[in-house]
Amino acid sequence: MRILVTGKNGQLGRSIQNIVNTDTKIGNNQSLNDFIFVGREDLDLSSKSSISYYFSNNDKFDLIINCAAYTQVDRAEQEAELANQINHLAVKQLASIASNKQSRLIHISTDYVFDGESNKLYLETDTPNPINVYSRTKLAGEKALQTVMPMNALIIRTSWVYSEYHNNFVKTMLRLGKERDEVSVVSDQIGSPTYAADLADAILEIIKHKKFRDVAQTTQIYNYSNEGKISWYEFAKEIFKLAEIDCKVSPITTQQYPTPAKRPRNTLMKKDKIVKVFNIKISHWKSSLNTCMTILKKQ
Ligand SMILES: NC(=O)c1ccc[n+]([C@@H]2O[C@H](COP(=O)([O-])OP(=O)(O)OC[C@H]3O[C@@H](n4cnc5c(N)ncnc54)[C@H](OP(=O)(O)O)[C@@H]3O)[C@@H](O)[C@H]2O)c1
């Protein structure tokens, strides 16, 4: 398969690259050359013509993995049009290109499509109700993709992504923990962190899987995050514990920490579907955080 991966400089894009570069035989004798990684300098999702130009000047891809997105949740409140172009209209265009060329498409979406008011684990079939601009554009992208590409695409909803790369909660806490004696972190938003390397592994497992490769499937949504249930406050405490940083973490409420974009209260997702269909093994958030922190310590 000739595989195009967008968002090469983002957390997930870099994590996929890292695995592909270190494991030259990604199943079924795929070599490094099967993967083409692109950033916004090659394929700018904010521009319809850049997308058309890129695909008309490159040979057909068998699979597109769309890791690029407008991910700045608060800034999206001010940049709704740009967020909508990247997270919705560009996804629709990618789906249309993939459909015309009979390529497959794996697209990444978010737990934030839900309003977070449920006290149960969210299923893929639950009704979304996004509560901020970012999430509305991500949901619009999902819906457009499903309409344009009813077959051969796969949407993975993930949550609280962190990694060794780019900006994320773990790296922010490590920085703040070194600068301050105390940090206040919200304790009433509950979710599951996702180590980008684990999600990258899961994606590479999926594309090796017979069910993905051999059978024309209706487009499906799958939930994926690490196992476990925590608040941002508990997450921060564990980060400092592992990094041996002596910084006090004080729990605060969402109300005490107002942000431009509203955040859902509880976005825990049920992951049985991805586990069952693709035989994906999911690590607990604590062991994955430990792995990431061990790598960060060596940097
Ligand atoms: N981060 C989270 O907590 C989280 C949670 C749930 C779901 N997700 C979803 O997971 C996926 C991967 O997220 P991530 O954490 O890896 O995101 P990320 O680190 O912010 O990376 C996103 C990438 O998209 C690229 N991008 C932005 N605008 C672009 C444009 N106009 N054209 C082309 N590329 C553009 C960025 O390029 P530059 O590097 O040049 O800026 C960046 O490399 C996204 O779909 C996101 O919505 C993320």
Side-chain angles (χ1 to χ4, degrees):
M1 287 214 277
R2 227 170 94 79
I3 301 167
L4 178 74
V5 183
T6 68
K8 74 169 179 187
N9 299 311
Q11 301 196 78
L12 182 58
R14 286 193 67 177
S15 301
I16 295 177
Q17 271 183 91
N18 191 31
I19 300 172
V20 168
N21 288 339
T22 48
D23 182 355
T24 50
K25 295 276 177 204
I26 301 281
N28 296 343
N29 294 328
Q30 284 172 2
S31 73
L32 260 183
N33 297 331
D34 294 323
F35 285 84
I36 296 106
F37 293 91
V38 288
R40 76 169 81 209
E41 58 284 10
D42 315 290
L43 171 59
D44 181 358
L45 297 186
S46 70
S47 155
K48 196 174 177 200
S49 56
S50 162
I51 302 172
S52 306
Y53 181 85
Y54 182 82
F55 285 96
S56 45
N57 284 282
N58 281 281
D59 291 339
K60 183 198 159 185
F61 298 100
D62 301 297
L63 167 65
I64 301 167
I65 306 176
N66 185 30
C67 302
Y70 183 107
T71 54
Q72 294 174 76
V73 177
D74 286 320
R75 205 199 284 186
E77 298 293 310
Q78 300 297 322
E79 292 186 337
E81 206 177 316
L82 180 61
N84 189 57
Q85 165 57 37
I86 296 168
N87 292 345
H88 168 205
L89 301 177
V91 175
K92 186 176 180 185
Q93 199 178 345
L94 289 179
S96 164
I97 291 164
S99 176
N100 288 340
K101 300 207 170 179
Q102 291 171 331
S103 311
R104 284 162 189 250
L105 176 61
I106 295 180
H107 173 66
I108 315 301
S109 192
T110 173
D111 58 330
Y112 276 16
V113 295
F114 297 113
D115 60 19
E117 292 306 316
S118 172
N119 289 318
K120 295 193 196 135
L121 298 180
Y122 282 104
L123 291 171
E124 288 84 351
T125 46
D126 285 340
T127 306
N129 182 29
I131 58 171
N132 60 45
V133 169
Y134 163 78
S135 315
R136 279 195 283 277
T137 63
K138 291 294 287 185
L139 179 63
E142 283 188 6
K143 290 199 160 155
L145 185 159
Q146 286 168 302
T147 305
V148 174
M149 224 180 150
M151 300 286 288
N152 293 329
L154 199 148
I155 296 167
I156 302 175
R157 287 185 184 143
T158 189
S159 60
W160 297 22
V161 180
Y162 69 92
S163 67
E164 302 84 6
Y165 315 113
H166 231 224
N167 299 318
N168 59 65
F169 185 79
V170 174
K171 290 177 78 178
T172 303
M173 283 301 127
L174 289 174
R175 180 174 49 77
L176 292 178
K178 284 173 195 156
E179 288 168 7
R180 301 182 190 177
D181 297 329
E182 181 175 351
V183 291
S184 300
V185 182
V186 290
S187 59
D188 58 355
Q189 288 171 31
I190 308 296
S192 303
T194 303
Y195 180 31
D198 289 345
L199 176 55
D201 259 332
I203 292 171
L204 294 170
E205 279 303 313
I206 289 170
I207 67 179
K208 275 194 288 182
H209 203 285
K210 208 172 172 324
K211 279 194 186 134
F212 179 80
R213 289 192 159 238
D214 297 350
V215 191
Q217 301 259 4
T218 54
T219 292
Q220 296 280 333
I221 299 177
Y222 295 89
N223 295 336
Y224 181 91
S225 68
N226 283 123
E227 291 294 0
K229 164 189 174 179
I230 50 165
S231 67
W232 291 109
Y233 161 74
E234 289 166 291
F235 198 19
K237 285 219 310 192
E238 187 69 13
I239 293 164
F240 290 159
K241 188 175 135 195
L242 290 174
E244 296 170 0
I245 291 175
D246 188 16
C247 176
K248 186 176 175 222
V249 190
S250 302
I252 53 167
T253 63
T254 300
Q255 245 185 349
Q256 289 171 294
Y257 187 75
T259 49
K262 281 211 280 180
R263 303 294 201 274
R265 186 178 55 83
N266 165 18
T267 56
L268 290 165
M269 301 184 293
K270 202 168 168 80
K271 291 154 309 225
D272 292 13
K273 185 175 172 187
I274 201 165
V275 168
K276 212 164 148 190
V277 174
F278 295 113
N279 199 21
I280 301 294
K281 307 221 171 359
I282 305 186
S283 311
H284 193 267
W285 71 268
K286 268 196 191 180
S287 64
S288 292
L289 178 63
N290 200 1
T291 307
C292 179
M293 299 281 287
T294 306
I295 297 169
L296 282 170
K297 270 186 205 163
K298 288 185 195 150
Q299 285 178 353

